[in-house]
C-alpha cells in the first residue's frame, strides 16, 4: 500500500459527504460513560466518573449492585473506574463478565477491547474488535481502535490500509486524514503524510492535533500562511481547550524555527500550563519509588539472589528519559546484523504493574518491596512471560532485540532478577537539553511530569539518583551513552557500545540512516538522516526563561555528565 500525494487529492474529491463526516465526529456517542443509562443511581455514578471522583463512583456502583445485582451497565461503569485510574488489569475480568451477560452491548465490548489493548493483549483485543465490526462494519471508532491495535501488533501496513479505508468512507472527516497521515509517517512516507495532514487542516482548520502532527515531524517548517492560520484559530473564543493546547505547541515550534524565541517560549509555556491543569501529577511518587528502590536493592540483596531468573541474553534494554536520544541508539543497533530494533515495548512495565496490583497485596508488600518475596523460579517465569509476549515483534530471527521503553529505568532491579545476562543501555542527554526538549513536546500518551519545568527538573534529578545507585550496587551492569559524546564521536561511541554488548563492530551501524525499518516515535524523521549537531544546544536560545528548570535540577546540572555524590 503506497498512496501518493497526488492520489490523496483525487481520493478526497470523490464521494464527498458532509453527513458521513458528521457520523465520523459522532462515533464517540455510543461509548460515552453516561450513554443510555436509565437508572438515576447509575447516572449519578457516571457523573462522578466524568468528574474524576472514581472512588465515590465505585462505591455508588457497588451499592447499586447490592440492591439490583451485577447488571451489565453497572459492570461496565465499575470497569471504567479501574481503567481511568490506570488499572485495566482489574477492569478486564469485569468486562469479560459484562459481555458474556450481554453479547450485543457494544459500548461494553469496546471497553473490553480497549482494556485488552492497554494490557498489550493485542490478539484478544483484535478478536473483540472483529465482533464489534461484524455488528457495525463502518463504525469509525471501532476502526480507529483497530488501527491502534494493529500498530501495537507491528502490522503497520495493515494499519495503514485501515486508515486508507477510513478516508475513503469519510473523505470530509479531518481526523480521518490526520490518522492516515500518522500511518504514512510510520511507514516513512513523509511527503504523503504532510499532504494528509494538510488535507486534515483544510477540512477542519480548528483541529489543533493536525497542526501539531505537522510540527511533530521535526523536519517540517510551517509557511507564514500556516502560522497566521494557527493564530487566527487561537483568537476564537469558542475554540475547545484541547485544540488550543495543540495549537500552542505547534506555534512554539513554528516561532522557534523562525528564530522568534520569546514568542516561541510564550506559546510552549501556555500550552503546557493549560494542559497541566487537566492532569494529576504528584512528583513525590517518583521520589518515593527511588528511595524505596535504593533502600531495598542493595549490593547484598543482589548477591543473595545471584543466578535468579533466566539465562537468556535476547533483550537489550535501552532506558532513560524521553528526548535523550534513545531512538537514535535503537536505530544504530538495529543496523547490526545480530540485533532487531523493535520499539518501546510495554511488556516489562505491565509485569511491574502486575506485581504491584496483583502479587504484592498477597504478600502484604508494595512494589518494589515485593521483589524480596519472590524466588528464582518466579523470576524465571516472569522472564518467560516477557519473552513470549514480545516474540510477536521479532520478525527477523536475530539473536537480540531492543526494548527502548525508557521508563524501564524504574525496573532495573526487576530486569536484573529476570535477566541477569541481558544488556542495559542508559541513553542520557544534557539535563537542560533533555528537559527543555520534553517541555516542547505534547506526547500522544501524556507523560504527566513534562508539563512544568520544575517537575521536569525534579524527575531528571530522581532518574540520575536512581541510576547512580545502580552504578554502585551493580558495577558495570549498565552502559551509559551520552548523546553529546555520540554526536561528537559517532564511531568511537558506537565501538564502545558494541564492545559492551559483546558484538563485533559493523560498518552498517555508522550508516544507520540507510537502514529501512519502521520507526514509531517522534524522532522518526531525524533518525532517517545522518547524525546532526544542530539540536544539541537548542535549549540555550531559550535560556533566559529556563531559570525554574535550572533551580529544580540543582546538583544534577552542576555535576553533569557525572552524577552528584550520594
Amino acid at each position: 500500500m503506497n498512496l501518493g500525494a497526488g492520489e490523496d487529492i483525487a481520493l478526497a474529491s470523490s464521494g464527498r459527504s458532509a453527513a458521513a463526516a458528521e457520523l465520523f465526529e459522532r462515533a464517540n456517542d455510543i461509548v460515552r460513560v453516561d450513554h443510555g443509562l436509565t437508572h438515576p443511581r447509575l447516572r449519578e455514578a457516571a457523573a462522578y466518573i466524568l468528574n474524576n471522583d472514581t472512588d465515590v463512583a465505585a462505591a455508588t456502583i457497588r451499592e447499586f449492585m447490592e440492591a439490583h445485582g451485577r447488571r451489565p451497565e453497572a459492570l461496565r461503569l465499575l470497569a471504567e473506574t479501574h481503567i481511568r485510574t490506570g488499572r485495566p488489569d482489574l477492569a478486564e475480568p469485569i468486562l469479560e463478565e459484562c459481555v458474556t451477560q450481554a453479547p450485543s452491548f457494544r459500548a461494553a465490548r469496546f471497553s473490553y477491547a480497549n482494556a485488552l489493548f492497554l494490557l498489550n493483549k493485542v490478539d484478544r483485543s483484535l478478536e473483540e474488535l472483529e465482533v464489534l465490526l461484524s455488528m457495525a462494519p463502518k463504525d469509525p471508532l471501532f476502526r480507529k481502535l483497530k488501527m491502534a491495535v494493529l500498530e501495537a501488533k507491528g502490522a503497520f501496513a495493515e494499519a495503514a490500509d485501515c486508515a486508507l479505508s477510513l478516508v475513503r468512507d469519510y473523505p470530509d472527516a479531518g481526523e480521518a486524514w490526520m490518522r492516515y497521515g500518522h500511518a504514512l509517517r510510520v511507514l516513512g512516507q513523509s511527503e504523503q503524510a504532510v499532504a494528509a495532514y494538510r488535507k486534515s487542516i483544510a477540512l477542519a482548520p480548528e483541529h489543533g492535533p493536525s497542526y501539531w502532527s505537522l510540527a511533530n515531524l521535526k523536519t517540517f517548517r510551517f509557511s507564514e500562511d500556516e502560522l497566521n492560520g494557527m493564530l487566527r484559530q487561537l483568537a476564537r473564543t469558542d475554540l475547545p481547550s484541547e485544540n488550543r493546547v495543540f495549537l500552542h505547541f505547534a506555534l512554539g515550534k513554528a516561532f522557534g524555527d523562525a528564530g522568534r524565541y520569546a514568542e516561541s517560549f510564550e506559546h510552549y509555556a501556555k500550552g503546557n500550563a493549560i494542559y497541566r491543569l487537566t492532569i494529576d501529577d504528584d512528583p513525590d511518587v517518583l521520589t518515593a519509588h527511588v528511595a524505596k528502590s535504593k533502600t531495598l536493592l542493595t549490593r547484598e540483596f543482589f548477591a543473595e539472589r545471584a543466578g535468579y531468573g533466566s539465562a537468556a541474553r535476547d533483550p537489550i534494554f535501552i532506558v532513560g528519559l524521553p528526548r535523550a536520544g534513545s531512538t537514535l541508539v535503537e536505530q544504530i543497533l538495529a543496523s547490526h546484523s545480530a540485533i532487531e530494533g523493535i520499539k518501546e515495548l510495554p511488556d516489562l512495565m505491565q509485569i511491574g504493574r502486575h506485581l504491584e496490583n496483583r502479587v504484592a497485596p498477597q504478600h502484604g508488600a508494595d512494589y518494589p518491596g515485593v521483589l524480596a518475596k519472590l524466588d528464582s523460579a518466579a523470576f524465571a517465569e516472569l522472564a518467560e512471560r516477557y519473552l513470549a509476549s514480545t516474540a510477536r515483534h521479532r520478525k527477523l530471527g536475530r539473536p537480540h532485540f531492543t526494548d527502548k521503553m525508557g521508563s524501564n529505568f524504574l525496573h532495573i532491579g526487576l530486569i536484573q532478577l529476570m535477566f541477569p545476562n541481558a544488556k542495559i543501555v542508559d541513553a542520557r542527554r544534557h539535563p537542560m537539553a533533555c528537559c527543555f526538549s520534553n517541555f516542547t513536546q505534547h506526547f500522544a500518551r501524556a507523560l504527566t511530569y513534562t508539563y512544568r519545568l520544575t517537575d521536569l527538573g525534579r524527575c531528571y534529578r530522581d532518574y540520575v539518583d536512581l541510576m547512580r545507585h545502580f552504578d554502585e550496587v551493580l558495577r558495570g551492569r549498565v552502559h551509559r551513552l551520552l548523546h553529546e559524546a555520540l554526536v561528537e564521536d559517532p564511531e568511537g561511541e558506537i565501538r564502545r557500545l558494541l564492545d559492551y554488548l559483546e558484538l563485533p563492530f559493523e560498518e552498517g551501524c555508522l550508516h544507520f540512516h540507510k537502514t529501512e525499518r519502521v520507526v514509531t516515535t517522534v524522532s522518526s524523521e531525524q533518525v532517517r538522516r545522518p547524525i546532526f549537531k544542530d539540536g544539541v544546544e537548542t535549549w540555550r536560545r531559550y535560556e533566559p526563561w529556563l531559570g525554574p528548570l535550572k533551580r529544580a535540577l540543582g546538583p544534577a546540572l552542576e555535576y553533569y555528565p557525572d552524577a552528584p555524590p550520594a
Side-chain angles (χ1 to χ4, degrees):
M1 191 283 305
N2 185 346
L3 189 70
E7 292 176 86
D8 287 345
I9 304 304
L11 177 61
S13 64
S14 63
R16 297 176 62 84
S17 167
E22 183 180 353
L23 177 61
F24 187 96
E25 298 301 325
R26 291 178 57 82
N28 287 313
D29 287 355
I30 193 173
V31 297
R32 286 199 334 259
V33 171
D34 56 350
H35 179 79
L37 295 175
T38 57
H39 196 284
R41 288 293 277 165
L42 292 182
R43 289 202 300 271
E44 182 183 346
Y48 285 129
I49 292 173
L50 292 171
N51 199 39
N52 290 323
D53 294 328
T54 50
D55 289 341
V56 179
T60 303
I61 297 162
R62 289 191 175 98
E63 287 176 10
F64 172 88
M65 290 196 296
E66 285 179 9
H68 302 280
R70 297 173 69 83
R71 283 166 45 173
E73 61 269 34
L75 289 168
R76 188 226 169 182
L77 287 182
L78 183 60
E80 185 68 23
T81 66
H82 294 311
I83 290 174
R84 294 201 175 206
T85 52
R87 297 176 294 178
D89 54 324
L90 301 182
E92 179 190 358
I94 298 171
L95 289 166
E96 183 177 13
E97 178 185 353
C98 183
V99 298
T100 300
Q101 279 192 45
S104 60
F105 190 179
R106 281 190 262 174
R109 194 174 292 275
F110 178 82
S111 294
Y112 187 31
N114 188 47
L116 292 167
F117 169 53
L118 294 173
L119 290 167
N120 203 30
K121 298 179 179 180
V122 290
D123 291 327
R124 287 181 58 195
S125 181
L126 275 177
E127 289 173 5
E128 296 303 322
L129 284 167
E130 292 304 332
V131 174
L132 283 168
L133 288 167
S134 70
M135 300 177 189
K138 295 289 187 180
D139 188 287
L141 185 62
F142 303 160
R143 292 157 74 184
K144 284 189 284 185
L145 181 56
K146 182 178 179 180
M147 283 172 53
V149 174
L150 287 170
E151 288 174 355
K153 188 179 171 65
F156 298 103
E158 290 179 54
D161 287 338
C162 193
L164 176 57
S165 73
L166 273 177
V167 295
R168 282 177 170 156
D169 290 341
Y170 303 100
D172 284 352
E175 186 190 343
W177 283 97
M178 182 191 72
R179 291 180 178 275
Y180 182 46
H182 294 343
L184 291 168
R185 174 187 175 174
V186 167
L187 292 176
Q189 299 179 30
S190 296
E191 289 185 15
Q192 294 94 324
V194 168
Y197 291 143
R198 281 180 161 152
K199 180 64 183 175
S200 173
I201 290 168
L203 289 166
E206 75 289 348
H207 195 238
S210 296
Y211 291 99
W212 175 240
S213 297
L214 283 171
N216 219 11
L217 288 167
K218 304 307 178 188
T219 55
F220 176 83
R221 298 293 179 266
F222 286 104
S223 68
E224 193 69 21
D225 285 345
E226 288 169 327
L227 189 154
N228 289 330
M230 288 187 279
L231 290 172
R232 283 194 298 273
Q233 292 301 320
L234 277 181
R236 290 172 46 178
T237 58
D238 62 340
L239 188 70
S241 61
E242 179 188 2
N243 286 332
R244 195 171 295 276
V245 167
F246 280 105
L247 284 166
H248 278 305
F249 274 94
L251 280 164
K253 172 71 163 53
F255 279 120
D257 289 339
R260 297 160 65 175
Y261 301 116
E263 293 163 283
S264 172
F265 185 81
E266 179 183 3
H267 283 287
Y268 281 134
K270 286 181 177 178
N272 277 285
I274 295 170
Y275 191 75
R276 185 64 175 77
L277 293 172
T278 69
I279 58 178
D280 182 21
D281 179 66
D282 182 359
D284 288 341
V285 173
L286 175 58
T287 303
H289 175 86
V290 171
K292 289 176 184 176
S293 297
K294 289 166 62 178
T295 299
L296 174 72
L297 305 173
T298 62
R299 187 178 291 111
E300 293 74 22
F301 176 91
F302 287 118
E304 291 169 2
R305 292 162 176 79
Y308 269 35
S310 167
R313 297 173 177 267
D314 304 40
I316 298 171
F317 296 96
I318 305 173
V319 305
L321 295 186
R323 310 301 296 147
S326 61
T327 303
L328 174 59
V329 176
E330 177 195 49
Q331 182 76 356
I332 289 168
L333 293 181
S335 303
H336 195 284
S337 62
I339 304 172
E340 181 168 6
I342 300 181
K343 59 176 181 174
E344 297 170 324
L345 298 174
D347 304 75
L348 186 73
M349 181 177 64
Q350 287 168 349
I351 289 174
R353 186 183 295 125
H354 167 74
L355 292 175
E356 181 174 19
N357 293 340
R358 294 298 185 92
V359 180
Q362 298 172 15
H363 297 275
D366 60 6
Y367 182 83
V370 68
L371 299 181
K373 308 292 185 180
L374 305 180
D375 59 16
S376 180
F379 289 112
E381 183 180 341
L382 292 174
E384 289 307 312
R385 175 193 293 195
Y386 173 87
L387 291 173
S389 66
T390 57
R392 68 175 179 274
H393 300 289
R394 302 178 69 177
K395 315 291 186 184
L396 304 180
R398 296 178 180 179
H400 303 286
F401 69 95
T402 60
D403 178 345
K404 66 175 289 288
M405 180 62 77
S407 58
N408 282 340
F409 80 86
L410 297 168
H411 303 296
I412 286 179
L414 177 58
I415 293 173
Q416 173 65 18
L417 295 167
M418 288 170 56
F419 294 109
N421 298 315
K423 301 295 186 178
I424 306 171
V425 180
D426 175 21
R428 188 172 298 186
R429 186 179 179 190
H430 187 284
M432 293 296 288
C434 181
C435 292
F436 179 67
S437 184
N438 276 282
F439 192 69
T440 67
Q441 186 70 40
H442 189 29
F443 291 92
R445 293 182 179 178
L447 302 172
T448 55
Y449 59 84
T450 66
Y451 294 92
R452 185 182 288 162
L453 290 173
T454 52
D455 291 351
L456 273 162
R458 184 167 168 182
C459 176
Y460 192 100
R461 204 172 64 209
D462 283 337
Y463 148 69
V464 168
D465 188 24
L466 184 58
M467 297 307 296
R468 178 202 53 75
H469 172 76
F470 285 119
D471 287 344
E472 291 179 357
V473 303
L474 295 170
R475 293 192 184 278
R477 185 74 177 84
V478 178
H479 178 81
R480 183 146 302 112
L481 182 54
L482 301 179
H483 181 69
E484 300 80 26
L486 179 60
V487 169
E488 193 61 35
D489 179 21
E491 182 171 347
E493 290 301 320
I494 290 171
R495 285 184 180 276
R496 280 186 281 276
L497 173 60
L498 292 174
D499 285 345
Y500 162 75
L501 297 176
E502 302 178 76
L503 293 172
F505 176 78
E506 291 183 0
E507 285 289 333
C509 295
L510 278 177
H511 307 294
F512 61 88
H513 55 285
K514 297 179 181 178
T515 300
E516 294 187 7
R517 54 182 287 268
V518 167
V519 182
T520 59
T521 65
V522 295
S523 303
S524 56
E525 280 63 48
Q526 292 164 312
V527 299
R528 292 183 173 113
R529 299 186 292 160
I531 287 179
F532 58 96
K533 298 182 179 182
D534 50 320
V536 173
E537 298 293 309
T538 299
W539 69 270
R540 293 193 182 277
R541 298 164 188 162
Y542 297 85
E543 194 168 5
W545 305 283
L546 299 182
L549 175 58
K550 287 184 177 181
R551 290 189 291 274
L553 285 166
L557 175 59
E558 177 187 351
Y559 283 89
Y560 186 82
D562 296 323

PDB file of all heavy atoms in Angstrom, residues 163-183:
ATOM      1  N   ALA A 163      -6.445   2.812   7.816  1.00  0.00           N
ATOM      2  CA  ALA A 163      -6.548   4.272   7.765  1.00  0.00           C
ATOM      3  C   ALA A 163      -7.021   4.740   6.392  1.00  0.00           C
ATOM      4  O   ALA A 163      -7.831   5.670   6.275  1.00  0.00           O
ATOM      5  CB  ALA A 163      -5.194   4.894   8.096  1.00  0.00           C
ATOM      6  N   LEU A 164      -6.520   4.096   5.341  1.00  0.00           N
ATOM      7  CA  LEU A 164      -6.942   4.452   3.987  1.00  0.00           C
ATOM      8  C   LEU A 164      -8.432   4.187   3.792  1.00  0.00           C
ATOM      9  O   LEU A 164      -9.150   4.988   3.176  1.00  0.00           O
ATOM     10  CB  LEU A 164      -6.119   3.654   2.974  1.00  0.00           C
ATOM     11  CG  LEU A 164      -6.485   3.818   1.494  1.00  0.00           C
ATOM     12  CD1 LEU A 164      -6.400   5.277   1.069  1.00  0.00           C
ATOM     13  CD2 LEU A 164      -5.565   2.962   0.633  1.00  0.00           C
ATOM     14  N   SER A 165      -8.923   3.086   4.344  1.00  0.00           N
ATOM     15  CA  SER A 165     -10.350   2.792   4.208  1.00  0.00           C
ATOM     16  C   SER A 165     -11.195   3.840   4.933  1.00  0.00           C
ATOM     17  O   SER A 165     -12.308   4.157   4.502  1.00  0.00           O
ATOM     18  CB  SER A 165     -10.663   1.386   4.738  1.00  0.00           C
ATOM     19  OG  SER A 165     -10.597   1.346   6.148  1.00  0.00           O
ATOM     20  N   LEU A 166     -10.668   4.394   6.029  1.00  0.00           N
ATOM     21  CA  LEU A 166     -11.398   5.439   6.749  1.00  0.00           C
ATOM     22  C   LEU A 166     -11.556   6.694   5.903  1.00  0.00           C
ATOM     23  O   LEU A 166     -12.639   7.287   5.844  1.00  0.00           O
ATOM     24  CB  LEU A 166     -10.683   5.782   8.057  1.00  0.00           C
ATOM     25  CG  LEU A 166     -11.029   4.950   9.290  1.00  0.00           C
ATOM     26  CD1 LEU A 166     -10.181   5.392  10.468  1.00  0.00           C
ATOM     27  CD2 LEU A 166     -12.504   5.076   9.642  1.00  0.00           C
ATOM     28  N   VAL A 167     -10.455   7.130   5.251  1.00  0.00           N
ATOM     29  CA  VAL A 167     -10.584   8.359   4.454  1.00  0.00           C
ATOM     30  C   VAL A 167     -11.428   8.117   3.207  1.00  0.00           C
ATOM     31  O   VAL A 167     -12.042   9.053   2.677  1.00  0.00           O
ATOM     32  CB  VAL A 167      -9.206   8.953   4.078  1.00  0.00           C
ATOM     33  CG1 VAL A 167      -8.468   9.408   5.319  1.00  0.00           C
ATOM     34  CG2 VAL A 167      -8.366   7.985   3.273  1.00  0.00           C
ATOM     35  N   ARG A 168     -11.487   6.885   2.739  1.00  0.00           N
ATOM     36  CA  ARG A 168     -12.368   6.589   1.600  1.00  0.00           C
ATOM     37  C   ARG A 168     -13.835   6.660   2.012  1.00  0.00           C
ATOM     38  O   ARG A 168     -14.681   7.165   1.272  1.00  0.00           O
ATOM     39  CB  ARG A 168     -12.044   5.216   1.034  1.00  0.00           C
ATOM     40  CG  ARG A 168     -10.793   5.212   0.156  1.00  0.00           C
ATOM     41  CD  ARG A 168     -10.459   3.820  -0.338  1.00  0.00           C
ATOM     42  NE  ARG A 168      -9.419   3.869  -1.359  1.00  0.00           N
ATOM     43  CZ  ARG A 168      -8.615   2.867  -1.643  1.00  0.00           C
ATOM     44  NH1 ARG A 168      -8.721   1.731  -0.983  1.00  0.00           N
ATOM     45  NH2 ARG A 168      -7.697   2.990  -2.583  1.00  0.00           N
ATOM     46  N   ASP A 169     -14.120   6.151   3.221  1.00  0.00           N
ATOM     47  CA  ASP A 169     -15.508   6.153   3.689  1.00  0.00           C
ATOM     48  C   ASP A 169     -15.922   7.498   4.275  1.00  0.00           C
ATOM     49  O   ASP A 169     -17.106   7.837   4.268  1.00  0.00           O
ATOM     50  CB  ASP A 169     -15.709   5.062   4.744  1.00  0.00           C
ATOM     51  CG  ASP A 169     -15.657   3.662   4.156  1.00  0.00           C
ATOM     52  OD1 ASP A 169     -15.833   3.531   2.923  1.00  0.00           O
ATOM     53  OD2 ASP A 169     -15.421   2.702   4.919  1.00  0.00           O
ATOM     54  N   TYR A 170     -14.950   8.252   4.811  1.00  0.00           N
ATOM     55  CA  TYR A 170     -15.246   9.542   5.451  1.00  0.00           C
ATOM     56  C   TYR A 170     -14.308  10.614   4.902  1.00  0.00           C
ATOM     57  O   TYR A 170     -13.471  11.170   5.617  1.00  0.00           O
ATOM     58  CB  TYR A 170     -15.097   9.418   6.970  1.00  0.00           C
ATOM     59  CG  TYR A 170     -15.965   8.352   7.572  1.00  0.00           C
ATOM     60  CD1 TYR A 170     -15.453   7.096   7.897  1.00  0.00           C
ATOM     61  CD2 TYR A 170     -17.316   8.596   7.823  1.00  0.00           C
ATOM     62  CE1 TYR A 170     -16.251   6.112   8.445  1.00  0.00           C
ATOM     63  CE2 TYR A 170     -18.128   7.605   8.369  1.00  0.00           C
ATOM     64  CZ  TYR A 170     -17.593   6.372   8.676  1.00  0.00           C
ATOM     65  OH  TYR A 170     -18.398   5.395   9.212  1.00  0.00           O
ATOM     66  N   PRO A 171     -14.434  10.927   3.598  1.00  0.00           N
ATOM     67  CA  PRO A 171     -13.472  11.836   2.960  1.00  0.00           C
ATOM     68  C   PRO A 171     -13.544  13.266   3.471  1.00  0.00           C
ATOM     69  O   PRO A 171     -12.616  14.040   3.231  1.00  0.00           O
ATOM     70  CB  PRO A 171     -13.852  11.758   1.481  1.00  0.00           C
ATOM     71  CG  PRO A 171     -15.288  11.348   1.472  1.00  0.00           C
ATOM     72  CD  PRO A 171     -15.439  10.435   2.637  1.00  0.00           C
ATOM     73  N   ASP A 172     -14.611  13.648   4.154  1.00  0.00           N
ATOM     74  CA  ASP A 172     -14.712  15.003   4.681  1.00  0.00           C
ATOM     75  C   ASP A 172     -14.361  15.086   6.160  1.00  0.00           C
ATOM     76  O   ASP A 172     -14.533  16.141   6.782  1.00  0.00           O
ATOM     77  CB  ASP A 172     -16.139  15.541   4.488  1.00  0.00           C
ATOM     78  CG  ASP A 172     -16.405  15.945   3.043  1.00  0.00           C
ATOM     79  OD1 ASP A 172     -15.442  15.952   2.255  1.00  0.00           O
ATOM     80  OD2 ASP A 172     -17.565  16.242   2.711  1.00  0.00           O
ATOM     81  N   ALA A 173     -13.906  14.010   6.747  1.00  0.00           N
ATOM     82  CA  ALA A 173     -13.576  13.996   8.174  1.00  0.00           C
ATOM     83  C   ALA A 173     -12.095  14.320   8.353  1.00  0.00           C
ATOM     84  O   ALA A 173     -11.223  13.528   7.985  1.00  0.00           O
ATOM     85  CB  ALA A 173     -13.906  12.640   8.784  1.00  0.00           C
ATOM     86  N   GLY A 174     -11.808  15.473   8.929  1.00  0.00           N
ATOM     87  CA  GLY A 174     -10.425  15.894   9.118  1.00  0.00           C
ATOM     88  C   GLY A 174      -9.616  14.928   9.967  1.00  0.00           C
ATOM     89  O   GLY A 174      -8.451  14.652   9.676  1.00  0.00           O
ATOM     90  N   GLU A 175     -10.227  14.386  11.015  1.00  0.00           N
ATOM     91  CA  GLU A 175      -9.494  13.466  11.887  1.00  0.00           C
ATOM     92  C   GLU A 175      -9.088  12.201  11.145  1.00  0.00           C
ATOM     93  O   GLU A 175      -8.026  11.630  11.395  1.00  0.00           O
ATOM     94  CB  GLU A 175     -10.329  13.104  13.114  1.00  0.00           C
ATOM     95  CG  GLU A 175      -9.539  12.277  14.115  1.00  0.00           C
ATOM     96  CD  GLU A 175     -10.384  11.701  15.232  1.00  0.00           C
ATOM     97  OE1 GLU A 175     -11.519  12.182  15.439  1.00  0.00           O
ATOM     98  OE2 GLU A 175      -9.916  10.760  15.894  1.00  0.00           O
ATOM     99  N   ALA A 176      -9.934  11.741  10.213  1.00  0.00           N
ATOM    100  CA  ALA A 176      -9.590  10.548   9.442  1.00  0.00           C
ATOM    101  C   ALA A 176      -8.308  10.783   8.641  1.00  0.00           C
ATOM    102  O   ALA A 176      -7.430   9.915   8.571  1.00  0.00           O
ATOM    103  CB  ALA A 176     -10.739  10.171   8.510  1.00  0.00           C
ATOM    104  N   TRP A 177      -8.201  11.978   8.046  1.00  0.00           N
ATOM    105  CA  TRP A 177      -6.993  12.294   7.281  1.00  0.00           C
ATOM    106  C   TRP A 177      -5.775  12.401   8.188  1.00  0.00           C
ATOM    107  O   TRP A 177      -4.664  12.014   7.812  1.00  0.00           O
ATOM    108  CB  TRP A 177      -7.206  13.585   6.487  1.00  0.00           C
ATOM    109  CG  TRP A 177      -8.041  13.356   5.274  1.00  0.00           C
ATOM    110  CD1 TRP A 177      -9.378  13.563   5.133  1.00  0.00           C
ATOM    111  CD2 TRP A 177      -7.591  12.835   4.022  1.00  0.00           C
ATOM    112  NE1 TRP A 177      -9.790  13.201   3.876  1.00  0.00           N
ATOM    113  CE2 TRP A 177      -8.715  12.760   3.167  1.00  0.00           C
ATOM    114  CE3 TRP A 177      -6.353  12.423   3.534  1.00  0.00           C
ATOM    115  CZ2 TRP A 177      -8.627  12.292   1.855  1.00  0.00           C
ATOM    116  CZ3 TRP A 177      -6.265  11.960   2.225  1.00  0.00           C
ATOM    117  CH2 TRP A 177      -7.398  11.896   1.410  1.00  0.00           C
ATOM    118  N   MET A 178      -5.965  12.951   9.378  1.00  0.00           N
ATOM    119  CA  MET A 178      -4.843  13.030  10.308  1.00  0.00           C
ATOM    120  C   MET A 178      -4.342  11.627  10.659  1.00  0.00           C
ATOM    121  O   MET A 178      -3.130  11.375  10.668  1.00  0.00           O
ATOM    122  CB  MET A 178      -5.253  13.775  11.573  1.00  0.00           C
ATOM    123  CG  MET A 178      -4.115  13.934  12.581  1.00  0.00           C
ATOM    124  SD  MET A 178      -4.657  14.532  14.191  1.00  0.00           S
ATOM    125  CE  MET A 178      -5.502  13.069  14.828  1.00  0.00           C
ATOM    126  N   ARG A 179      -5.264  10.717  10.939  1.00  0.00           N
ATOM    127  CA  ARG A 179      -4.858   9.359  11.294  1.00  0.00           C
ATOM    128  C   ARG A 179      -4.184   8.659  10.111  1.00  0.00           C
ATOM    129  O   ARG A 179      -3.257   7.869  10.293  1.00  0.00           O
ATOM    130  CB  ARG A 179      -6.064   8.564  11.797  1.00  0.00           C
ATOM    131  CG  ARG A 179      -6.550   9.068  13.153  1.00  0.00           C
ATOM    132  CD  ARG A 179      -7.741   8.301  13.675  1.00  0.00           C
ATOM    133  NE  ARG A 179      -8.119   8.808  14.981  1.00  0.00           N
ATOM    134  CZ  ARG A 179      -7.589   8.421  16.133  1.00  0.00           C
ATOM    135  NH1 ARG A 179      -6.655   7.499  16.131  1.00  0.00           N
ATOM    136  NH2 ARG A 179      -7.981   8.950  17.277  1.00  0.00           N
ATOM    137  N   TYR A 180      -4.650   8.960   8.920  1.00  0.00           N
ATOM    138  CA  TYR A 180      -3.995   8.419   7.736  1.00  0.00           C
ATOM    139  C   TYR A 180      -2.564   8.968   7.632  1.00  0.00           C
ATOM    140  O   TYR A 180      -1.621   8.237   7.302  1.00  0.00           O
ATOM    141  CB  TYR A 180      -4.813   8.761   6.501  1.00  0.00           C
ATOM    142  CG  TYR A 180      -4.250   8.196   5.214  1.00  0.00           C
ATOM    143  CD1 TYR A 180      -3.827   6.879   5.129  1.00  0.00           C
ATOM    144  CD2 TYR A 180      -4.169   8.990   4.062  1.00  0.00           C
ATOM    145  CE1 TYR A 180      -3.317   6.358   3.951  1.00  0.00           C
ATOM    146  CE2 TYR A 180      -3.670   8.478   2.879  1.00  0.00           C
ATOM    147  CZ  TYR A 180      -3.238   7.165   2.832  1.00  0.00           C
ATOM    148  OH  TYR A 180      -2.731   6.658   1.667  1.00  0.00           O
ATOM    149  N   GLY A 181      -2.405  10.265   7.948  1.00  0.00           N
ATOM    150  CA  GLY A 181      -1.065  10.848   7.966  1.00  0.00           C
ATOM    151  C   GLY A 181      -0.153  10.145   8.953  1.00  0.00           C
ATOM    152  O   GLY A 181       1.022   9.887   8.660  1.00  0.00           O
ATOM    153  N   HIS A 182      -0.684   9.811  10.136  1.00  0.00           N
ATOM    154  CA  HIS A 182       0.120   9.078  11.123  1.00  0.00           C
ATOM    155  C   HIS A 182       0.608   7.747  10.552  1.00  0.00           C
ATOM    156  O   HIS A 182       1.777   7.377  10.722  1.00  0.00           O
ATOM    157  CB  HIS A 182      -0.708   8.787  12.380  1.00  0.00           C
ATOM    158  CG  HIS A 182      -1.106  10.005  13.163  1.00  0.00           C
ATOM    159  ND1 HIS A 182      -0.494  11.230  13.009  1.00  0.00           N
ATOM    160  CD2 HIS A 182      -2.051  10.174  14.126  1.00  0.00           C
ATOM    161  CE1 HIS A 182      -1.048  12.102  13.840  1.00  0.00           C
ATOM    162  NE2 HIS A 182      -1.993  11.483  14.522  1.00  0.00           N
ATOM    163  N   ALA A 183      -0.291   7.037   9.891  1.00  0.00           N
ATOM    164  CA  ALA A 183       0.071   5.728   9.340  1.00  0.00           C
ATOM    165  C   ALA A 183       1.157   5.861   8.264  1.00  0.00           C
ATOM    166  O   ALA A 183       2.100   5.064   8.212  1.00  0.00           O
ATOM    167  CB  ALA A 183      -1.166   5.047   8.757  1.00  0.00           C
TER     168      ALA A 183
END
